[in-house]
Amino acid sequence: MKQKFLLKVRVIALFLGISLFAISCQDNATQTDVNSKSDASQYQGILTNENDEPIEGAIIFAEDNGQILCTDTTMTDGSFILINLPKDKSNVTLQGSHFKFQNFKIKIQDLINAKDFVKFLKIKMHYRDSCCGKLIFYVKDSTSGEAVSGANVKVSYGNIPIEIKKTDDHGRVAFENMCQGEYSLLIAKDGYKVIKDAFQLGQCDTLEKTYNFTRSDSVQCCASLKVIVRDNETKQAIENAEVRLNGKENRFSEMKRTNADGITYFENICEGKYWIRVSREHYKVVEEDMTFEDCESKVIEIHMNKIIENTDTCCNNKASIILKNENGELINGATVKLWQGNHNIRTKISENGTVLFGELCTGKYGVSVSREGYKPMEWDFTVTCEQSLEFSKTLIKNQIDTCETAIMKIKVRDSKEEPIVGAKVVISAPDGQTFDGYTGQDGYFVKEHLKAPVRYTITITKDGYQSMTFSWTLEHCDTYTKAIILQQ
């Protein structure tokens, strides 16, 4: 019996030993798998609030012993990307800030080792318990010393605009419930030079400041654009990409290149319609249309696709395009796009009425030409080898659709979406003619028999509310409706 008992004990001990060894191996495998996740030099992340809602406009940066490795700003879906990270991440911390949330600082290794980490680093930011700061600004005419009403005042936290307000009849504007941090300020109005300032606001501080506007005959343009360019497949930033912004309704044309973070900025943009073109060697060109409102700040992210290398050895063809009007005069400033299939591979602006596309490989191409005031034009052509083609095209002017039957409908509401009765609306035309009236019981003001195409200036005032002035172009003989909110 004793021998049988000892045998049972040995069997149980052996079984326990094998089980413990298996568990140990599993633990070691898990640990190895976690460590392998730390070897990457690039990570993507998602930033949310306590309700799992994405946070846009937060500034994220990775730091190693005081040296900033990379920075990014979260997009509308809360996503961000970290690049150029070292293999040894034991001292790398991830920090973030946003004007509505508490700052955070966390070791990136803790995020990588988290149980829910599969593909994205997941971070939550908590709302600040109390944002009790206050900003009060007064805007005056530098010559007369009188208050300037209707000036646009834009406050930004870093590069992220928080709010845009207009000064009241006393030239005053106030921003409440402001959090601690660094802010920038922009003040603009037609007829005055733009004012820019930056300041630090402490916890529950009240900053009160007066600015003097200097008059200027030029129209002030205060919109801005931040462009982030990434590789569509790897999501890595694309450095030295050429970003060109052109106005459709004005002569604005500016080209900039992205920095190491794939970012570039455009400032002093006027209100109106634009198109943006992004190009980089070995990538397909990206083009988009966009519209800017007065003092608006946009942030866009462009994803570029790589071009599959062409093995064609005959890529020395040329295509010259000459553009004239019906009187035989050369047309400058026309947008000429070269297409291959459905891809726009190059875009040029005509100079001295001419555009030249060189280094064309064998194949079929399409051309589209557009110019304000002229009908668009398209055609195809094919090149074989060592060809120099020349196309002379005549653009036909558009017939301007003018009328006096356009209708303008303006609905004036308060911040609670309730209609405002008795608000005064003044419509001014470029020729000096003005029309005025008051909103009815439903908050509507309607003006018929307006001319088009005409750009009007509209001013809305009401006792107890901040006045508002804006521009509105009626392009066709149609009915136009706009909802306006006045702040108390």
Side-chain angles (χ1 to χ4, degrees), residues 178-211:
M178 305 297 291
C179 297
Q180 178 182 357
E182 294 182 1
Y183 293 86
S184 60
L185 177 72
L186 183 146
I187 307 175
K189 186 179 181 179
D190 286 351
Y192 293 90
K193 292 182 179 179
V194 171
I195 295 175
K196 294 183 180 181
D197 197 7
F199 52 86
Q200 175 84 30
L201 187 68
Q203 180 68 19
C204 292
D205 282 355
T206 296
L207 176 65
E208 196 165 351
K209 197 169 182 180
T210 299
Y211 293 92

Side-chain angles (χ1 to χ4, degrees), residues 410-424:
I410 301 175
K411 183 178 181 181
V412 184
R413 299 171 294 173
D414 59 20
S415 57
K416 296 180 181 179
E417 301 291 330
E418 295 294 331
I420 298 178
V421 182
K424 185 176 182 179

Side-chain angles (χ1 to χ4, degrees), residues 33 68 127 131 142 181 185 200 233 269 271-272 320 337 348 357 362 396 405 450 473:
D33 183 54
I68 296 179
Y127 283 101
C131 290
S142 61
L185 177 72
Q200 175 84 30
E233 200 169 317
I269 303 172
E271 181 181 14
S320 177
K337 297 183 180 182
K348 291 190 175 184
F357 294 108
T362 303
I396 308 299
T405 58
L450 292 173
T473 301

